[in-house]
Coordinates of all heavy atoms in Angstrom, one line a residue:
M1 N 18.5 18.4 -7.8 CA 18.9 17.5 -6.8 C 18.1 16.2 -7.0 O 16.9 16.2 -7.2 CB 18.6 18.1 -5.4 CG 18.9 17.1 -4.3 SD 18.5 17.9 -2.7 CE 19.2 16.7 -1.7
S2 N 18.7 15.1 -6.8 CA 18.1 13.8 -6.8 C 17.1 13.6 -5.7 O 17.3 14.2 -4.6 CB 19.1 12.6 -6.7 OG 20.0 12.7 -7.8
K3 N 16.0 12.9 -5.9 CA 15.0 12.7 -4.8 C 15.4 11.4 -4.2 O 14.8 10.3 -4.4 CB 13.6 12.6 -5.4 CG 13.3 14.0 -6.0 CD 11.8 14.2 -6.0 CE 11.5 15.6 -6.4 NZ 10.2 16.0 -6.3
L4 N 16.4 11.4 -3.3 CA 16.9 10.3 -2.6 C 15.9 9.8 -1.5 O 15.3 10.6 -0.8 CB 18.2 10.6 -1.9 CG 19.3 11.0 -2.8 CD1 20.5 11.5 -2.0 CD2 19.7 9.9 -3.8
H5 N 15.9 8.4 -1.4 CA 15.0 7.8 -0.4 C 15.8 6.7 0.4 O 16.5 5.9 -0.3 CB 13.8 7.1 -1.1 CG 13.0 8.1 -1.8 ND1 13.3 8.5 -3.0 CD2 11.8 8.7 -1.5 CE1 12.3 9.4 -3.4 NE2 11.4 9.5 -2.5
L6 N 15.7 6.7 1.7 CA 16.4 5.8 2.5 C 15.4 4.8 3.0 O 14.3 5.2 3.5 CB 17.0 6.5 3.7 CG 17.5 5.7 4.9 CD1 18.7 4.8 4.5 CD2 17.9 6.6 6.1
V7 N 15.7 3.5 3.0 CA 14.9 2.4 3.5 C 15.6 1.8 4.6 O 16.8 1.4 4.5 CB 14.5 1.4 2.4 CG1 13.7 0.3 3.0 CG2 13.8 2.1 1.3
F8 N 15.0 1.7 5.8 CA 15.6 1.1 7.0 C 14.5 0.5 7.9 O 13.3 0.8 7.7 CB 16.5 2.0 7.7 CG 15.8 3.1 8.5 CD1 15.5 2.9 9.9 CD2 15.5 4.3 7.9 CE1 14.8 3.8 10.6 CE2 14.8 5.3 8.7 CZ 14.5 5.0 10.0
G9 N 14.9 -0.3 8.8 CA 13.9 -0.9 9.7 C 14.6 -1.5 10.9 O 15.8 -1.5 11.0
G10 N 13.8 -1.9 11.8 CA 14.3 -2.5 13.0 C 13.1 -2.9 14.0 O 11.9 -2.7 13.7
R11 N 13.5 -3.4 15.1 CA 12.5 -3.8 16.1 C 12.0 -2.5 16.8 O 12.8 -1.7 17.3 CB 13.2 -4.7 17.1 CG 12.3 -5.5 18.0 CD 12.9 -6.7 18.6 NE 13.4 -7.7 17.7 CZ 12.6 -8.5 17.0 NH1 11.3 -8.5 17.2 NH2 13.1 -9.3 16.1
V12 N 10.7 -2.4 16.9 CA 10.0 -1.3 17.6 C 9.3 -1.7 18.9 O 8.9 -2.9 19.0 CB 9.0 -0.6 16.7 CG1 9.7 0.1 15.5 CG2 8.0 -1.6 16.1
A13 N 9.2 -0.8 19.8 CA 8.5 -1.0 21.1 C 7.0 -1.2 20.9 O 6.4 -2.1 21.5 CB 8.8 0.1 22.1
D14 N 6.5 -0.5 19.9 CA 5.1 -0.5 19.6 C 4.9 -0.4 18.1 O 5.4 0.6 17.5 CB 4.4 0.7 20.3 CG 2.9 0.7 20.1 OD1 2.4 0.1 19.1 OD2 2.2 1.4 20.9
P15 N 4.3 -1.3 17.4 CA 4.2 -1.2 16.0 C 3.5 0.0 15.4 O 3.6 0.3 14.3 CB 3.4 -2.5 15.6 CG 3.5 -3.4 16.8 CD 3.7 -2.5 18.0
R16 N 2.8 0.7 16.3 CA 2.1 1.9 15.8 C 3.0 3.1 15.9 O 2.5 4.2 15.5 CB 0.8 2.1 16.7 CG -0.2 1.0 16.6 CD -1.3 1.2 17.6 NE -0.7 0.9 18.9 CZ -1.3 0.9 20.1 NH1 -2.5 1.2 20.1 NH2 -0.6 0.7 21.2
T17 N 4.2 3.0 16.3 CA 5.1 4.1 16.5 C 6.4 3.8 15.7 O 6.6 2.8 15.2 CB 5.5 4.4 17.9 OG1 6.3 3.3 18.4 CG2 4.2 4.5 18.8
L18 N 7.3 4.8 15.8 CA 8.6 4.7 15.2 C 9.7 4.7 16.3 O 10.8 5.1 16.1 CB 8.9 5.8 14.2 CG 8.1 5.8 12.9 CD1 8.4 7.0 12.1 CD2 8.4 4.5 12.1
D19 N 9.3 4.1 17.5 CA 10.2 4.1 18.6 C 11.0 2.8 18.5 O 10.6 1.7 19.0 CB 9.4 4.1 19.9 CG 10.2 4.1 21.2 OD1 11.4 4.4 21.1 OD2 9.7 3.8 22.2
F20 N 12.2 2.9 17.9 CA 13.0 1.7 17.7 C 13.7 1.4 19.0 O 14.2 2.2 19.7 CB 14.0 2.0 16.6 CG 13.4 2.1 15.2 CD1 13.1 3.3 14.7 CD2 13.1 0.9 14.5 CE1 12.4 3.4 13.4 CE2 12.5 1.0 13.2 CZ 12.2 2.2 12.7
K21 N 13.7 0.1 19.3 CA 14.2 -0.4 20.6 C 15.7 -0.3 20.6 O 16.3 0.1 21.7 CB 13.9 -1.9 20.8 CG 12.4 -2.1 21.1 CD 12.2 -3.6 21.4 CE 10.8 -3.9 21.9 NZ 10.6 -5.3 22.1
D22 N 16.5 -0.7 19.6 CA 17.9 -0.7 19.7 C 18.5 -0.1 18.4 O 18.5 -0.8 17.3 CB 18.4 -2.2 19.8 CG 19.9 -2.3 19.9 OD1 20.6 -1.3 20.0 OD2 20.4 -3.5 19.9
L23 N 18.9 1.1 18.5 CA 19.4 1.8 17.3 C 20.6 1.2 16.7 O 20.9 1.4 15.5 CB 19.6 3.3 17.6 CG 18.3 4.1 17.9 CD1 18.6 5.5 18.3 CD2 17.3 4.0 16.8
S24 N 21.4 0.5 17.5 CA 22.6 -0.1 17.0 C 22.3 -1.3 16.1 O 23.2 -1.8 15.4 CB 23.5 -0.5 18.2 OG 22.9 -1.5 18.9
S25 N 21.1 -1.8 16.2 CA 20.8 -3.0 15.3 C 19.8 -2.6 14.2 O 19.2 -3.5 13.6 CB 20.2 -4.1 16.2 OG 18.9 -3.7 16.7
I26 N 19.7 -1.3 13.8 CA 18.9 -0.9 12.7 C 19.4 -1.6 11.4 O 20.6 -1.6 11.2 CB 18.9 0.6 12.5 CG1 18.2 1.3 13.7 CG2 18.3 1.1 11.2 CD1 16.7 1.1 13.7
D27 N 18.5 -2.1 10.6 CA 18.8 -2.7 9.3 C 18.7 -1.6 8.2 O 17.6 -1.2 7.9 CB 17.9 -3.8 9.1 CG 18.1 -4.5 7.7 OD1 19.2 -4.3 7.1 OD2 17.1 -5.1 7.2
I28 N 19.8 -1.2 7.7 CA 19.8 -0.2 6.6 C 19.7 -1.0 5.3 O 20.7 -1.7 4.9 CB 21.1 0.7 6.6 CG1 21.4 1.3 7.9 CG2 21.1 1.7 5.5 CD1 20.5 2.5 8.3
V29 N 18.6 -0.9 4.7 CA 18.4 -1.6 3.4 C 19.1 -0.9 2.3 O 19.8 -1.5 1.5 CB 16.9 -1.7 3.1 CG1 16.6 -2.4 1.8 CG2 16.1 -2.4 4.2
G30 N 19.0 0.5 2.2 CA 19.8 1.2 1.2 C 19.2 2.6 0.9 O 18.2 2.9 1.5
V31 N 19.9 3.3 0.1 CA 19.4 4.6 -0.4 C 19.1 4.4 -1.9 O 19.9 3.8 -2.7 CB 20.6 5.6 -0.3 CG1 20.1 7.0 -0.8 CG2 20.9 5.8 1.2
F32 N 18.0 5.0 -2.3 CA 17.4 4.7 -3.6 C 17.1 6.0 -4.4 O 16.8 7.0 -3.7 CB 16.2 3.9 -3.6 CG 16.4 2.5 -2.9 CD1 16.4 2.4 -1.5 CD2 16.8 1.4 -3.7 CE1 16.7 1.2 -0.9 CE2 17.1 0.2 -3.1 CZ 17.1 0.1 -1.7
P33 N 17.3 6.1 -5.7 CA 17.2 7.3 -6.4 C 15.7 7.8 -6.7 O 15.5 8.9 -7.2 CB 17.9 7.0 -7.8 CG 17.6 5.5 -7.9 CD 17.7 5.0 -6.5
D34 N 14.8 6.9 -6.4 CA 13.4 7.3 -6.7 C 12.5 6.5 -5.7 O 12.9 5.5 -5.2 CB 13.0 7.0 -8.1 CG 13.2 5.6 -8.6 OD1 12.7 4.7 -8.0 OD2 14.0 5.4 -9.5
Y35 N 11.2 7.0 -5.6 CA 10.3 6.3 -4.7 C 9.9 4.9 -5.1 O 9.8 4.0 -4.2 CB 9.0 7.2 -4.5 CG 8.1 6.6 -3.5 CD1 8.3 6.9 -2.1 CD2 7.1 5.8 -3.8 CE1 7.5 6.4 -1.1 CE2 6.2 5.3 -2.8 CZ 6.5 5.6 -1.5 OH 5.7 5.0 -0.5
A36 N 9.8 4.7 -6.4 CA 9.4 3.4 -6.9 C 10.4 2.3 -6.5 O 10.0 1.2 -6.0 CB 9.2 3.4 -8.4
S37 N 11.7 2.6 -6.6 CA 12.7 1.6 -6.2 C 12.8 1.4 -4.7 O 13.0 0.3 -4.2 CB 14.0 1.9 -6.9 OG 14.5 3.2 -6.5
A38 N 12.6 2.5 -4.0 CA 12.6 2.5 -2.5 C 11.4 1.6 -2.0 O 11.6 0.8 -1.1 CB 12.5 3.9 -2.0
E39 N 10.3 1.8 -2.7 CA 9.1 1.1 -2.2 C 9.3 -0.4 -2.5 O 8.9 -1.3 -1.7 CB 7.9 1.6 -3.0 CG 6.6 0.9 -2.5 CD 5.4 1.4 -3.2 OE1 5.4 1.8 -4.3 OE2 4.3 1.2 -2.6
K40 N 9.9 -0.8 -3.6 CA 10.2 -2.2 -4.0 C 11.1 -2.8 -2.9 O 10.8 -3.9 -2.4 CB 10.8 -2.2 -5.3 CG 11.0 -3.6 -5.8 CD 11.6 -3.6 -7.3 CE 11.8 -5.1 -7.7 NZ 12.3 -5.1 -9.1
A41 N 12.1 -2.1 -2.5 CA 13.0 -2.6 -1.5 C 12.3 -2.7 -0.1 O 12.5 -3.6 0.6 CB 14.3 -1.7 -1.4
W42 N 11.5 -1.7 0.2 CA 10.8 -1.7 1.4 C 9.8 -2.9 1.5 O 9.8 -3.6 2.5 CB 10.0 -0.4 1.6 CG 8.9 -0.4 2.6 CD1 9.1 -0.2 4.0 CD2 7.5 -0.7 2.5 NE1 8.0 -0.3 4.7 CE2 7.0 -0.6 3.8 CE3 6.7 -0.9 1.4 CZ2 5.6 -0.8 4.0 CZ3 5.4 -1.2 1.6 CH2 4.8 -1.1 2.9
R43 N 9.1 -3.1 0.4 CA 8.2 -4.3 0.4 C 8.9 -5.6 0.6 O 8.5 -6.5 1.3 CB 7.4 -4.3 -0.9 CG 6.3 -3.3 -1.0 CD 5.5 -3.5 -2.3 NE 4.6 -2.4 -2.4 CZ 3.4 -2.3 -1.7 NH1 3.1 -3.2 -0.8 NH2 2.6 -1.2 -1.9
A44 N 10.1 -5.7 0.0 CA 10.9 -7.0 0.1 C 11.3 -7.1 1.5 O 11.2 -8.2 2.1 CB 12.0 -6.9 -0.9
A45 N 11.8 -6.1 2.2 CA 12.3 -6.2 3.5 C 11.2 -6.4 4.5 O 11.3 -7.3 5.4 CB 13.0 -4.9 3.9
A46 N 10.1 -5.7 4.3 CA 8.9 -5.9 5.2 C 8.3 -7.3 5.0 O 7.9 -7.9 6.0 CB 7.8 -4.9 4.9
Q47 N 8.3 -7.8 3.8 CA 7.8 -9.2 3.6 C 8.6 -10.3 4.3 O 8.1 -11.2 4.8 CB 7.7 -9.5 2.1 CG 7.0 -10.8 1.7 CD 5.5 -10.8 2.2 OE1 4.8 -9.8 2.0 NE2 5.1 -11.9 2.7
R48 N 9.9 -10.1 4.3 CA 10.8 -11.0 5.0 C 10.5 -11.1 6.5 O 10.7 -12.2 7.1 CB 12.3 -10.6 4.9 CG 12.9 -10.9 3.5 CD 14.4 -10.8 3.6 NE 14.9 -9.5 4.1 CZ 15.1 -8.4 3.4 NH1 14.8 -8.4 2.1 NH2 15.5 -7.3 4.0
T49 N 9.9 -10.1 7.1 CA 9.6 -10.1 8.5 C 8.2 -10.0 8.8 O 7.8 -9.5 9.9 CB 10.4 -8.9 9.2 OG1 9.9 -7.7 8.6 CG2 11.9 -9.0 9.0
V50 N 7.3 -10.3 7.9 CA 5.9 -10.1 8.0 C 5.3 -10.8 9.2 O 4.3 -10.4 9.8 CB 5.1 -10.6 6.7 CG1 5.2 -12.1 6.6 CG2 3.7 -10.1 6.7
D51 N 5.9 -11.9 9.7 CA 5.3 -12.6 10.9 C 5.8 -12.1 12.2 O 5.5 -12.6 13.2 CB 5.7 -14.1 10.8 CG 4.9 -14.8 9.6 OD1 3.8 -14.4 9.3 OD2 5.5 -15.7 9.0
D52 N 6.7 -11.1 12.2 CA 7.2 -10.5 13.4 C 6.6 -9.1 13.6 O 7.1 -8.1 13.0 CB 8.8 -10.4 13.3 CG 9.4 -10.0 14.5 OD1 8.7 -9.5 15.5 OD2 10.7 -10.1 14.6
A53 N 5.6 -9.0 14.5 CA 4.9 -7.8 14.7 C 5.8 -6.6 15.2 O 5.4 -5.5 15.1 CB 3.7 -8.0 15.6
E54 N 6.9 -7.0 15.8 CA 7.8 -5.9 16.3 C 8.8 -5.4 15.3 O 9.5 -4.5 15.6 CB 8.5 -6.5 17.6 CG 7.6 -6.7 18.7 CD 8.4 -7.1 20.0 OE1 9.6 -7.6 19.9 OE2 7.8 -7.0 21.1
M55 N 8.8 -5.9 14.1 CA 9.7 -5.4 13.1 C 9.0 -4.4 12.2 O 7.9 -4.7 11.8 CB 10.3 -6.5 12.2 CG 11.3 -7.4 13.0 SD 12.8 -6.5 13.4 CE 13.6 -6.3 11.9
K56 N 9.7 -3.3 11.9 CA 9.0 -2.3 11.1 C 10.1 -1.7 10.1 O 11.2 -1.4 10.6 CB 8.4 -1.2 12.0 CG 7.6 -0.1 11.2 CD 6.9 0.7 12.2 CE 5.9 1.6 11.5 NZ 5.0 2.2 12.5
Y57 N 9.7 -1.5 8.9 CA 10.5 -0.9 7.9 C 9.9 0.4 7.4 O 8.6 0.4 7.3 CB 10.8 -1.9 6.7 CG 11.9 -2.9 7.1 CD1 11.5 -4.0 7.7 CD2 13.2 -2.6 6.8 CE1 12.5 -5.0 8.1 CE2 14.2 -3.6 7.1 CZ 13.8 -4.7 7.8 OH 14.8 -5.6 8.1
V58 N 10.7 1.4 7.1 CA 10.1 2.7 6.7 C 10.9 3.2 5.5 O 12.1 2.8 5.3 CB 10.1 3.7 7.8 CG1 9.2 3.3 8.9 CG2 11.5 3.9 8.3
I59 N 10.3 4.2 4.8 CA 10.9 4.9 3.7 C 11.1 6.3 4.2 O 10.1 7.0 4.6 CB 10.1 4.9 2.4 CG1 10.0 3.4 1.9 CG2 10.8 5.7 1.3 CD1 9.0 3.3 0.7
V60 N 12.3 6.9 4.1 CA 12.5 8.3 4.5 C 12.8 9.1 3.3 O 13.7 8.6 2.5 CB 13.6 8.4 5.5 CG1 13.9 9.8 5.9 CG2 13.3 7.6 6.8
H61 N 12.2 10.2 3.1 CA 12.5 11.0 1.9 C 13.7 11.9 2.3 O 13.5 13.0 2.8 CB 11.2 11.9 1.6 CG 10.0 11.1 1.3 ND1 9.7 10.7 0.0 CD2 9.1 10.6 2.1 CE1 8.6 10.0 0.1 NE2 8.2 9.9 1.3
L62 N 14.8 11.5 1.9 CA 16.1 12.2 2.3 C 16.1 13.6 1.6 O 16.6 14.6 2.2 CB 17.3 11.4 1.9 CG 17.6 10.2 2.7 CD1 18.9 9.5 2.2 CD2 17.8 10.5 4.2
H63 N 15.6 13.7 0.4 CA 15.6 15.0 -0.3 C 14.8 16.1 0.5 O 15.1 17.2 0.5 CB 15.1 14.9 -1.7 CG 13.7 14.3 -1.8 ND1 13.4 13.0 -1.7 CD2 12.5 14.9 -1.9 CE1 12.1 12.8 -1.8 NE2 11.5 13.9 -2.0
R64 N 13.8 15.6 1.2 CA 13.0 16.6 2.1 C 13.8 17.1 3.3 O 13.7 18.2 3.7 CB 11.7 16.0 2.5 CG 10.8 15.7 1.4 CD 9.5 15.1 1.9 NE 8.6 14.9 0.8 CZ 7.4 14.2 0.9 NH1 7.1 13.7 2.0 NH2 6.7 14.0 -0.2
L65 N 14.7 16.2 3.8 CA 15.5 16.6 4.9 C 16.7 17.5 4.4 O 17.1 18.4 5.2 CB 16.1 15.3 5.6 CG 15.1 14.4 6.3 CD1 15.8 13.1 6.8 CD2 14.4 15.1 7.4
L66 N 17.2 17.2 3.3 CA 18.3 18.0 2.7 C 18.0 19.3 2.2 O 18.8 20.2 2.2 CB 19.0 17.2 1.6 CG 19.6 15.8 2.1 CD1 20.1 15.0 0.9 CD2 20.8 16.1 3.0
E67 N 16.7 19.5 1.8 CA 16.2 20.8 1.3 C 14.8 21.1 1.9 O 13.8 21.1 1.2 CB 16.2 20.8 -0.2 CG 17.5 20.8 -0.9 CD 17.4 21.0 -2.4 OE1 16.3 20.9 -3.0 OE2 18.5 21.3 -3.0
P68 N 14.8 21.4 3.2 CA 13.5 21.6 3.8 C 12.7 22.8 3.3 O 11.5 22.9 3.3 CB 13.8 21.8 5.3 CG 15.3 22.1 5.3 CD 15.9 21.5 4.1
D69 N 13.5 23.8 2.7 CA 12.8 25.0 2.2 C 11.9 24.7 1.0 O 11.0 25.4 0.7 CB 13.8 26.1 1.8 CG 14.5 26.7 3.1 OD1 13.9 26.5 4.2 OD2 15.6 27.2 2.9
S70 N 12.2 23.6 0.3 CA 11.4 23.2 -0.9 C 10.0 22.7 -0.5 O 9.2 22.6 -1.3 CB 12.2 22.1 -1.7 OG 12.2 20.9 -0.9
L71 N 9.8 22.5 0.8 CA 8.5 22.0 1.3 C 7.6 23.2 1.6 O 6.4 23.0 1.7 CB 8.6 21.1 2.5 CG 9.3 19.8 2.3 CD1 9.5 19.0 3.6 CD2 8.6 19.0 1.3
K72 N 8.1 24.4 1.8 CA 7.3 25.5 2.2 C 6.4 25.9 1.0 O 6.9 26.0 -0.1 CB 8.2 26.7 2.6 CG 9.0 26.4 3.9 CD 9.8 27.6 4.3 CE 10.6 27.2 5.5 NZ 11.5 28.3 5.9
P73 N 5.2 26.2 1.3 CA 4.3 26.7 0.2 C 4.7 28.0 -0.3 O 5.1 28.9 0.5 CB 2.9 26.7 0.8 CG 3.2 26.7 2.3 CD 4.5 26.1 2.5
A74 N 4.5 28.2 -1.6 CA 4.8 29.5 -2.2 C 3.8 30.6 -1.7 O 2.6 30.2 -1.7 CB 4.8 29.4 -3.7
V75 N 4.2 31.7 -1.4 CA 3.3 32.8 -1.0 C 3.0 33.8 -2.1 O 3.8 34.1 -2.9 CB 3.9 33.5 0.3 CG1 3.0 34.6 0.7 CG2 4.2 32.5 1.4

């Protein structure tokens, strides 16, 4: 399975949290095939809004959501 990564962002109530104010205005940057390309897109999006403390962009590891059993330690 590909290690897909989603990059998105939006206005948050508190920059220390992921409590997005308006889910209908989330900016979906894209889905990327590896962490390096996702990080590059995240940096570009975050840099565009660097002066706005209420804007936050994140990288989500979609492959971890799609295959949660792969995260369990081997016994």
Side-chain angles (χ1 to χ4, degrees):
M1 175 181 192
S2 298
K3 296 205 172 185
L4 299 173
H5 298 81
L6 168 65
V7 178
F8 71 92
R11 193 161 301 284
V12 291
D14 181 344
R16 296 170 293 180
T17 70
L18 292 173
D19 183 17
F20 291 95
K21 286 184 176 180
D22 181 9
L23 296 179
S24 67
S25 67
I26 292 289
D27 176 22
I28 306 287
V29 177
V31 176
F32 300 88
D34 54 61
Y35 186 81
S37 59
E39 183 179 29
K40 185 176 178 180
W42 167 80
R43 285 188 187 283
Q47 187 62 42
R48 283 193 308 271
T49 60
V50 71
D51 292 329
D52 187 347
E54 291 186 340
M55 288 297 288
K56 186 171 194 170
Y57 282 85
V58 295
I59 300 173
V60 177
H61 302 270
L62 290 179
H63 57 278
R64 292 182 182 170
L65 296 173
L66 297 171
E67 290 189 346
D69 291 339
S70 67
L71 295 176
K72 293 181 182 175
V75 178

